Amino acid sequence: MATASLTEYLFFSGLLFAIGLAGVILRRNIIVIFMCLEMMLAAASLTLVAFSRQRIVDGLPDYDGQMLVFFIITVAAAEVAVGLAIIVALYRARKTISTDDLTSLKN
Amino acid sequence: MPTILFYLFAILMIAGGICVVVMKNPVSSAMGMIGSFIGLAALLIGLNAYFVGTLQVLVYAGAIMVLFIFIIMLLDLKKEEGKEYGGSSVAASIIIPIIFILIMIPVLSAVNKDFTKLDGHALNAAAEKLDKNIPADSHIRKALTGSSDGSKNVDPNKATLPDVNLIGQKLFTEYNFPLQIVGVLLLVATIGCVTLSKKLHGDATDPDEDQRMAKTLAKSTDIPKVTITANAESSDKKA
């Protein structure tokens, strides 16, 4: 049975990263920007797991890559909790979450 | 993972990602994101990373997306929808990812490898090379050899990859210190969330609310005081 190769996994994770990057540049809603950031983190995780599966150590996949993904997921969860709390505090203070209106640090 | 399933889930992942960027309504974006994460988790499981794939569904598609949708519903975002994007930002959001993909092409053409197969014989061979500290009756050895006592009688047809056990073994030996640091990080994040969502003193949303709250608090503390003194008096009389 034919299976997908490392190149295909890397290509699709790169594509997902590029889509996330486009979203961060294009969107004005700060929550959607945050979601696109999460997507870029997840794409990087896919790359790590693909390399971990490709590199065989003593007959088993190299689990160091998957440990890194474990820690990435934990840090992402903490980051989302704090980030969304900041967004709610921002919305309370300014009544907007559009990046077009949040320009008080400009000039 | 068979190639057709790989492409099915990869397209689900990419389509979900495009949904996140293109949809005007943030709730639709969040739904696209859930689809994207489920496709990603399926790809991870196809890479024999069962634990990380499950964690992806539980933490990302479960906990994190619920948090996102909760915040989207909490803040009323309907009025943000009608805005048009400027030409320069659209151009930048197309050109910069394309440059990124172009940078990726030489990397991908240099990497041209198929994955080593992890079939029963490969897993049996891996059991021989395991760390000596892992005892003979551990689940790792039993699963890799495919035998019930984890030693001599190897059976390639019953051998499975003990993914969770191997990760757990590595997590609590080699990565024990980073694990404790991550525990502190989660504690700090919790405290940070509580501090950020606490009402500030200068918050002028409803100036009367503090006074009303103070009155209710004063009433509610008055009532128990009376009952306590009454009880104390009655108990004194009894004595």
Side-chain angles (χ1 to χ4, degrees):
Chain A
M1 205 190 304
T3 54
S5 67
L6 175 63
T7 319
E8 286 163 304
Y9 277 99
L10 291 186
F11 173 73
F12 277 107
S13 75
L15 202 59
L16 189 65
F17 191 90
I19 290 170
L21 186 61
V24 170
I25 297 168
L26 180 68
R27 296 302 299 257
R28 293 283 170 265
N29 186 331
I30 207 164
I31 290 183
V32 178
I33 290 176
F34 207 39
M35 281 201 271
C36 289
L37 275 176
E38 289 303 310
M39 210 156 69
M40 288 162 79
L41 273 179
S45 304
L46 180 59
T47 313
L48 282 169
V49 174
F51 276 117
S52 134
R53 174 67 180 77
Q54 201 270 326
R55 187 181 137 84
I56 297 286
V57 177
D58 288 342
L60 291 171
D62 187 354
Y63 280 104
D64 286 326
Q66 296 192 20
M67 297 311 307
L68 200 47
V69 173
F70 178 83
F71 288 117
I72 287 176
I73 289 175
T74 321
V75 172
E79 175 219 326
V80 165
V82 175
L84 287 176
I86 290 175
I87 289 174
V88 170
L90 196 66
Y91 185 79
R92 266 196 206 152
R94 299 292 193 83
K95 300 289 172 228
T96 178
I97 55 162
S98 170
T99 48
D100 284 333
D101 305 328
L102 298 171
T103 52
S104 51
L105 284 181
K106 213 173 180 180
N107 297 327
Chain B
M1 179 186 259
T3 315
I4 183 155
L5 276 180
F6 169 78
Y7 278 105
L8 189 74
F9 287 121
I11 286 168
L12 173 66
M13 181 181 87
I14 299 297
I18 289 172
C19 265
V20 175
V21 179
V22 170
M23 291 289 181
K24 291 266 180 190
N25 188 350
V27 179
S28 311
S29 291
M31 292 302 160
M33 184 103 172
I34 292 175
S36 178
F37 279 150
I38 287 174
L40 183 70
L43 292 192
L44 293 177
I45 287 170
L47 284 167
N48 294 83
Y50 310 110
F51 177 69
V52 174
T54 314
L55 212 61
Q56 187 83 23
V57 173
L58 285 179
V59 175
Y60 267 115
I64 290 183
M65 292 318 295
V66 165
L67 210 57
F68 267 112
I69 291 172
F70 181 74
I71 298 296
I72 290 169
M73 301 285 181
L74 191 68
L75 314 178
D76 185 25
L77 302 176
K78 288 288 174 198
K79 57 198 165 212
E80 310 279 338
E81 278 178 29
K83 288 189 177 172
E84 291 294 318
Y85 298 115
S88 60
S89 68
V90 173
S93 70
I94 293 170
I95 291 169
I96 294 175
I98 285 179
I99 292 173
F100 177 78
I101 298 267
L102 289 179
I103 293 169
M104 230 166 60
I105 287 174
V107 179
L108 291 184
S109 54
V111 178
N112 191 16
K113 286 176 183 167
D114 282 330
F115 292 117
T116 321
K117 276 207 174 105
L118 281 179
D119 54 2
H121 294 285
L123 293 177
N124 286 163
E128 303 285 323
K129 296 176 193 163
L130 274 181
D131 195 348
K132 292 286 180 288
N133 292 328
I134 299 173
D137 59 343
S138 69
H139 186 266
I140 295 178
R141 275 188 204 282
K142 280 180 193 168
L144 281 176
T145 53
S147 64
S148 53
D149 56 352
S151 55
K152 306 301 170 202
N153 310 318
V154 291
D155 186 356
N157 292 323
K158 283 185 187 168
T160 51
L161 181 66
D163 181 67
V164 182
N165 305 68
L166 284 166
I167 286 181
Q169 202 259 339
K170 211 172 181 69
L171 187 64
F172 289 109
T173 54
E174 259 181 76
Y175 288 85
N176 200 356
F177 185 62
L179 184 71
Q180 294 178 37
I181 299 283
V182 157
V184 177
L185 175 80
L186 287 175
L187 176 68
V188 170
T190 315
I191 295 170
C193 281
V194 172
T195 317
L196 278 170
S197 44
K198 224 167 63 178
K199 201 163 191 182
L200 299 176
H201 287 295
D203 200 351
T205 46
D206 188 2
D208 299 331
E209 195 179 333
D210 284 345
Q211 293 175 1
R212 265 190 279 123
M213 185 63 86
K215 276 179 190 169
T216 4
L217 277 176
K219 277 179 193 167
S220 61
T221 44
D222 277 349
I223 299 162
K225 267 180 194 168
V226 175
T227 50
I228 285 169
T229 45
N231 283 341
E233 280 169 11
S234 60
S235 59
D236 282 345
K237 282 173 189 170
K238 276 176 190 172

